Structure formats: structure tokens, C-alpha cells
Amino acid sequence: MSAESTRPLLLPQNRKLRHLRGISLRNLAFTRPRGRTIDDAALNKSPAKLESLRNSPQIHHALSSEQLRPGPGRRRSTNLVGASPVTRQKRIEDTFDSKLADAFFSLHVEGEEEPVYISEVAERATNFNFSLFELSELDSTITQTPRVTIKIWTNRHDTWSLLLEDDVDLRALNWLGTMQNVHFPPNSLVFHMVDGIYSLELSNKYPPPKKMPPIPTSSYNALMRLATLDNSIQDALATRESLTRQINDLLAKETPNQVPAAQDSLALAEKYLAVQKRTVEASKKRNQELRASIEARRSAIAEGRALQERAETDVNNATEKLAHSKILLARTREQIHGQRRRICEDLDRIWRINSVSTPGTPPLSFTICDLPLPNTIYDDALLKGTGSDTLSAALGYVAQLTDNLQCYLGVPLPYPIRPYGSRSTIRDEISQLPDTQRDFPLYVPRGGSSAQYRFDYGWFLLNKDIETLCVSQGLKVVDIRHTLPNLKYLLYVCSAGTDEIPDRKRGGVRGLWAGRYRNLTVAGMTADDEASSFGGSRRGSDASSVVGGIGQRRGEDLRGKIIGGSTGNGGVPGFEEAEVKMTLRTKGMRESVAQ
């Protein structure tokens, strides 16, 4: 161990409160305040008195009869004879708890009412190592004092009390160096200084310092010259301070120069002026923006009010026309319903669907145009000979009737139909099939089982289209395989009603027939003839002018036949059936001719 750790570095007279770094308490006891008598000698703690006390034999505190040490022949363990282990454990715990307590200390200096330092609270122990502290930041009058009063506060049974108050002179402390293997008396204080550990009661004899050989130093003359030089420097510093004070006094007495202050004020005013100018510019810009916004809002409000007035006028006009529009709407719906009844009745007359009551025929057997059509279930004998042609023709009639019904009822079919008579087809645009395999035949094929399957599937799609038409009219289909019964039921419901069936509008197909014969005659007409027949302009002509132009050249006799057929006075034979089929395209043909 080095010499610096085995002996103190501070001389006793140099120990101050600023050198104190910590305090520890050893062997906490509540029965013996100190290890000596309490008299005037305990209050006198001068170094000479403490030295004489250490050299004198130690005097113990007087004990009562209950605290006397037991004699050698007396056994104290007989008190626990026959006691249970729980009782013994309880007695040991009580004995141990009676020696434990919570504690903290406070440092007091003479002349200060409040403590200069209060430590943290250490809980339930007999030996306390409080945290180290630093007192150099306090006032110099406190840190330079060598005397300090230490108060130890303890807590037992939730009650704080002063256990020990000791006035310590740091110059009278004894060097310990370490706390290992040291037997401390009860309530012993240990002081941690900057150079080691000290105690008030105990001491550790350290070896005397080694004799060092004398070291040569400066001569007397050199020291005197150094002292003279130091005095000169001090005089120069004092002179400088005096001159500085005199100059400051003279400057204070003279009239102060206001130019720098005025310059500073001017610079500050210019800075404030620039800030205010920027603020004014921003305010002007904001004012202009607000004015523009207000003008825009006013114009928008005026436009909104004008729109409201126009809307109010429109609402008033519409309110006046609402009753008439409702009546017109109801009348139009009634007319549409009546025209549909008439068309469905005409379709029922064109494609005659009649029931077969011949004995031996299956129930719900119907014919269309005198051609029998089974309800999807048929015999293989039906596909041989003329039976296949009959079945294909019947399905062609059904396809044509279904395709016309979608136009008159305004219901698009999910599976489009291409009516080609006995070679009609139907297309499946819903299933995930190649584009080349989406067309299915509605006629008896020739090609084996795969062709037969495609025919059955096409018939199934035709039945689904008929079901779609029935559902659109609020009808519930019991079995979609009943092709003709479902069609008959649909035509019967669509043509039913209590009112009279309205008449067909006369002249409704004149433009259509005029358009057809215009295409037949336009090939034999020159450009000048066509221009003269149409009045020189296509856009200015209408359906009546077209009919008139064609009648002047080649259509007078045909026009008479058409009009005669529409009125029932001779005319083209079977024209009524043709008129029914072409009524849907009349409006579109009129628009194309007018353009």
C-alpha cells in the first residue's frame, strides 16, 4: 500500500467543512448514548481534552439492575425451554426488529438557522452508509468553518425522534484509513474526508513519514528580489485600478455624447419603419383580396338569386302543368297498354297456338300454326323422317314470336334469337364459351350425340327467354319446359282487359312502304330527277313529300293498293299480317327519311 493511502494528506488545522464528503453511522443503539459518562467532560471536546480522555481508562455508563450482565452460573436459554419453534422464531424476530430503525442526519453550522445539508432516509438497518455529498458550492463562511453539529434522527414504530446530537471539531478527528476489521462503539460516527476516513473515538497509528534528504532552494537575495517584484506588481495593479476609477468619474461628470445613442435610436426606428411598411403592404394586399372575394361572392349571390327565381318560375309553371302532365301520362300509359293488347291479340291470330284434345295425346299439348310442338320431352321417333322438319318449323315459329314479343313488350332477352324459319338459332352471351361455340341450333341437327346436346341446350335457352318475358309481366312460370303453354299464357294475359281494343292508326306504314319503293326506284333515277322529286333538299323533305315524289313517278298504283289494303277495300293480300310485323320499324324509317 502506498504512503498516500496510509496517512492523512491534510494537516489537522487545515481541515474545513468543505473537505467533508460523507458520514456513516455504525452500531445503532438506543440504550447507550455514548461509551462514556455524560458530564461536563463530554461537552468539552477540545483536542487536549480528547487526548486525555483517550489515554484514560474507559468509563462505562451506569446500568440498572435489569441491565446487569448475567453471572456465569445463570442460563438465559432456559427462558425458551418448552417453547414452540414459532414462539422462538417470533422472539428472534422481535429481538432483531428492536435493533433496526430508519435514520437520516442533518448538518448544522453556528449562525445558520436551517441545516446546511439533510441526507436521504436509510431504511431498517443498524449500520448506515449515507450517500456522499459536496458542500463546496455553499457560502464561504460555511465551508471555511472547522466545527459542525451533526444530528442523527431515527424512526421506530412510526415515530421520528432525535437520537444523537454531536458538536464535532474536524481538527480533532482521528485518522482511520479504512473501516474493515474495525470494532466501532455504539452510535459511532465515521467521517469521509477528501483524503480518507476519520473517526472521533478511534484512531489508527500510522508510521512516521520517511526522512527526505534536504532539497536545495533559492537564496535569500533571490527571495527578497521576488518579494520586491511582487510588491511592485501589486502597486501597479492598484495604480491601474485608481486611474480607471478617476477616468470613469471624469466621464460621468462631463456631458454625455448623445450621437451614438441617437444613431442607435435612428437605426431602431428605421428597422421598425421597414417592418411597418411590410405590414402595411401585406394589409393592402389582403384588403384587395378581400374586396375581390366580396365582389365575387356578391356576383355569385346575384347569379344564385337569379337561378332561384328562374327555378321558382319553372316550378310554378311546372306545377300548373303537372296535373295536365299526369293526365297525359296516364292516358299515354293506357294507350300503350291498349296498343300492346291489340298487338298481342294480332300476334295470337298470326301465330295460332291451339290446344290438342285428341285422345291419347299427353296433357298440355299445343300446336303453333297447326304444327305440333312437344314440351321439351320428345321421342326419338319424332326426329326421324318428316317429324324433324315439323319440329324445326314449329321451333322457328316460336323463335320468331318470342323475338317480336321482346320488342313490343320492351323487355330485352338475355339470349338473343336469330329467327331464320326452320333454321333459327339462339346465342349464349353469358356462359364462358369460345366465341365460335356460342350459337346453338333451334332445329333438329344431324351429327350425333354432341349435336343433339347443342339442340337440347338451345331449346332450353329459348324456354329461358320465354320465362324472362313472363316474369316481366308478373307471371309465375311453373315449368319452363312447357314452351307453347307458357307462350299461350303470356299472350292471353297481355291481351286481356275490360276496355275496348283501340283501332290501328291509319297511314302508319305509308312512310315505310314509300322508303322501300324509294330504294327500288332510286337506282333508275338520275341525280336531277332525284333532286326534283325531293324538292332540291333532303333535309327539308318529310315522309309525305317522299311519298308524293314517288307517287308522281312510279308509285301511284302501288300507293292505291297500299291505302286500299289498309282500309280493307281490296289491296295487297295478307297486308294486315305484314303491317303488324313492320309497325315497330315505322318510327325509325320516318326519321331516316326525314334526315
Side-chain angles (χ1 to χ4, degrees), residues 1-9 175 177 195 206-207 210:
M1 186 175 294
S2 62
E4 287 77 10
S5 62
T6 58
R7 63 176 51 253
L9 299 179
W175 167 261
D195 59 340
Y206 49 88
K210 296 180 180 180

Side-chain angles (χ1 to χ4, degrees), residues 427-428 433-440 454:
R427 185 173 179 83
D428 185 5
L433 296 173
D435 191 66
T436 57
Q437 299 180 8
R438 291 186 179 275
D439 293 329
F440 295 90
R454 295 181 62 81

Side-chain angles (χ1 to χ4, degrees), residues 166-218:
D166 218 346
D167 188 9
V168 179
D169 189 350
L170 299 179
R171 296 170 295 182
L173 296 178
N174 298 319
W175 167 261
L176 283 182
T178 181
M179 291 190 297
Q180 296 180 359
N181 301 323
V182 178
H183 178 69
F184 293 95
N187 296 332
S188 177
L189 294 176
V190 179
F191 298 86
H192 299 268
M193 306 294 287
V194 294
D195 59 340
I197 300 175
Y198 291 82
S199 176
L200 191 61
E201 293 87 357
L202 302 177
S203 64
N204 186 10
K205 298 298 182 180
Y206 49 88
K210 296 180 180 180
K211 293 183 179 181
M212 301 297 293
I215 299 175
T217 181
S218 300

Side-chain angles (χ1 to χ4, degrees), residues 105-226:
F105 72 90
S106 59
L107 300 180
H108 301 264
V109 177
E110 185 178 0
E112 298 290 335
E113 297 180 358
E114 299 294 331
V116 297
Y117 178 76
I118 299 176
S119 70
E120 77 282 0
V121 177
E123 298 180 353
R124 295 185 59 78
T126 56
N127 296 325
F128 299 94
N129 293 323
F130 298 102
S131 299
L132 301 180
F133 50 83
E134 180 66 37
L135 301 178
S136 60
E137 298 179 356
L138 300 177
D139 189 66
S140 60
T141 58
I142 298 175
T143 58
Q144 293 294 333
T145 180
R147 301 184 68 88
V148 62
T149 300
I150 302 174
K151 294 183 180 181
I152 305 296
W153 303 84
T154 58
N155 179 15
R156 297 181 68 192
H157 309 296
D158 297 332
T159 302
W160 287 96
S161 60
L162 179 62
L163 175 66
L164 178 64
E165 182 177 357
D166 218 346
D167 188 9
V168 179
D169 189 350
L170 299 179
R171 296 170 295 182
L173 296 178
N174 298 319
W175 167 261
L176 283 182
T178 181
M179 291 190 297
Q180 296 180 359
N181 301 323
V182 178
H183 178 69
F184 293 95
N187 296 332
S188 177
L189 294 176
V190 179
F191 298 86
H192 299 268
M193 306 294 287
V194 294
D195 59 340
I197 300 175
Y198 291 82
S199 176
L200 191 61
E201 293 87 357
L202 302 177
S203 64
N204 186 10
K205 298 298 182 180
Y206 49 88
K210 296 180 180 180
K211 293 183 179 181
M212 301 297 293
I215 299 175
T217 181
S218 300
S219 63
Y220 176 77
N221 294 332
L223 293 177
M224 291 302 295
R225 287 195 299 271
L226 182 62

Side-chain angles (χ1 to χ4, degrees), residues 7-278:
R7 63 176 51 253
L9 299 179
L10 296 175
L11 296 175
Q13 62 271 18
N14 293 336
R15 296 175 193 153
K16 306 295 180 182
L17 184 60
R18 67 174 181 272
H19 298 139
L20 184 61
R21 292 293 180 267
I23 293 177
S24 298
L25 179 63
R26 289 292 179 269
N27 297 335
L28 178 66
F30 296 94
T31 57
R32 297 182 181 182
R34 302 291 294 179
R36 56 184 176 272
T37 60
I38 300 178
D39 53 6
D40 294 339
L43 300 177
N44 187 5
K45 295 184 179 180
S46 61
K49 183 66 177 179
L50 292 174
E51 183 65 23
S52 63
L53 288 175
R54 283 195 293 270
N55 296 331
S56 64
Q58 187 166 355
I59 302 175
H60 296 283
H61 186 72
L63 302 177
S64 64
S65 60
E66 296 179 354
Q67 295 176 341
L68 293 176
R69 296 178 179 177
R74 186 178 179 183
R75 296 182 59 188
R76 298 180 63 88
S77 61
T78 56
N79 295 332
L80 299 178
V81 174
S84 62
V86 177
T87 304
R88 294 185 179 185
Q89 181 66 25
K90 181 64 176 176
R91 183 70 61 82
I92 293 173
E93 290 179 358
D94 294 341
T95 303
F96 185 73
D97 291 339
S98 63
K99 296 181 180 181
L100 299 179
D102 301 339
F104 72 93
F105 72 90
S106 59
L107 300 180
H108 301 264
V109 177
E110 185 178 0
E112 298 290 335
E113 297 180 358
E114 299 294 331
V116 297
Y117 178 76
I118 299 176
S119 70
E120 77 282 0
V121 177
E123 298 180 353
R124 295 185 59 78
T126 56
N127 296 325
F128 299 94
N129 293 323
F130 298 102
S131 299
L132 301 180
F133 50 83
E134 180 66 37
L135 301 178
S136 60
E137 298 179 356
L138 300 177
D139 189 66
S140 60
T141 58
I142 298 175
T143 58
Q144 293 294 333
T145 180
R147 301 184 68 88
V148 62
T149 300
I150 302 174
K151 294 183 180 181
I152 305 296
W153 303 84
T154 58
N155 179 15
R156 297 181 68 192
H157 309 296
D158 297 332
T159 302
W160 287 96
S161 60
L162 179 62
L163 175 66
L164 178 64
E165 182 177 357
D166 218 346
D167 188 9
V168 179
D169 189 350
L170 299 179
R171 296 170 295 182
L173 296 178
N174 298 319
W175 167 261
L176 283 182
T178 181
M179 291 190 297
Q180 296 180 359
N181 301 323
V182 178
H183 178 69
F184 293 95
N187 296 332
S188 177
L189 294 176
V190 179
F191 298 86
H192 299 268
M193 306 294 287
V194 294
D195 59 340
I197 300 175
Y198 291 82
S199 176
L200 191 61
E201 293 87 357
L202 302 177
S203 64
N204 186 10
K205 298 298 182 180
Y206 49 88
K210 296 180 180 180
K211 293 183 179 181
M212 301 297 293
I215 299 175
T217 181
S218 300
S219 63
Y220 176 77
N221 294 332
L223 293 177
M224 291 302 295
R225 287 195 299 271
L226 182 62
T228 304
L229 180 61
D230 182 62
N231 293 333
S232 300
I233 293 173
Q234 295 297 330
D235 292 341
L237 293 175
T239 304
R240 187 187 67 177
E241 293 293 335
S242 176
L243 291 175
T244 302
R245 287 195 299 271
Q246 292 177 8
I247 292 172
N248 292 333
D249 293 340
L250 291 175
L251 293 176
K253 292 179 181 179
E254 293 180 356
T255 303
N257 188 6
Q258 299 179 356
V259 174
Q263 291 178 351
D264 295 340
S265 301
L266 178 61
L268 184 61
E270 289 179 351
K271 185 184 296 184
Y272 287 157
L273 179 61
V275 173
Q276 291 298 326
K277 284 183 178 180
R278 289 194 297 268

Side-chain angles (χ1 to χ4, degrees), residues 248-370:
N248 292 333
D249 293 340
L250 291 175
L251 293 176
K253 292 179 181 179
E254 293 180 356
T255 303
N257 188 6
Q258 299 179 356
V259 174
Q263 291 178 351
D264 295 340
S265 301
L266 178 61
L268 184 61
E270 289 179 351
K271 185 184 296 184
Y272 287 157
L273 179 61
V275 173
Q276 291 298 326
K277 284 183 178 180
R278 289 194 297 268
T279 305
V280 169
E281 293 295 333
S283 300
K284 289 182 178 179
K285 185 177 179 180
R286 179 61 178 170
N287 190 8
Q288 293 176 359
E289 293 177 355
L290 291 176
R291 288 178 181 274
S293 177
I294 291 172
E295 291 297 331
R297 291 180 182 180
R298 285 177 179 174
S299 60
I301 290 172
E303 293 178 359
R305 287 178 178 174
L307 290 175
Q308 288 180 355
E309 292 176 357
R310 288 197 297 269
E312 186 176 0
T313 304
D314 295 340
V315 168
N316 294 332
N317 296 334
T319 304
E320 295 175 357
K321 299 178 181 179
L322 181 60
H324 178 68
S325 299
K326 288 182 177 180
I327 296 174
L328 183 60
L329 177 62
R331 186 183 304 166
T332 304
R333 288 179 177 176
E334 184 178 356
Q335 292 176 359
I336 291 174
H337 180 67
Q339 293 296 332
R340 284 183 177 176
R341 286 178 55 201
R342 182 186 60 78
I343 291 172
C344 290
E345 189 169 338
D346 292 341
L347 291 177
D348 192 17
R349 286 199 303 267
I350 295 172
W351 285 279
R352 298 179 302 277
I353 300 176
N354 300 320
S355 61
V356 179
S357 59
T358 306
T361 57
L364 295 178
S365 297
F366 286 81
T367 61
I368 180 170
C369 295
D370 299 331

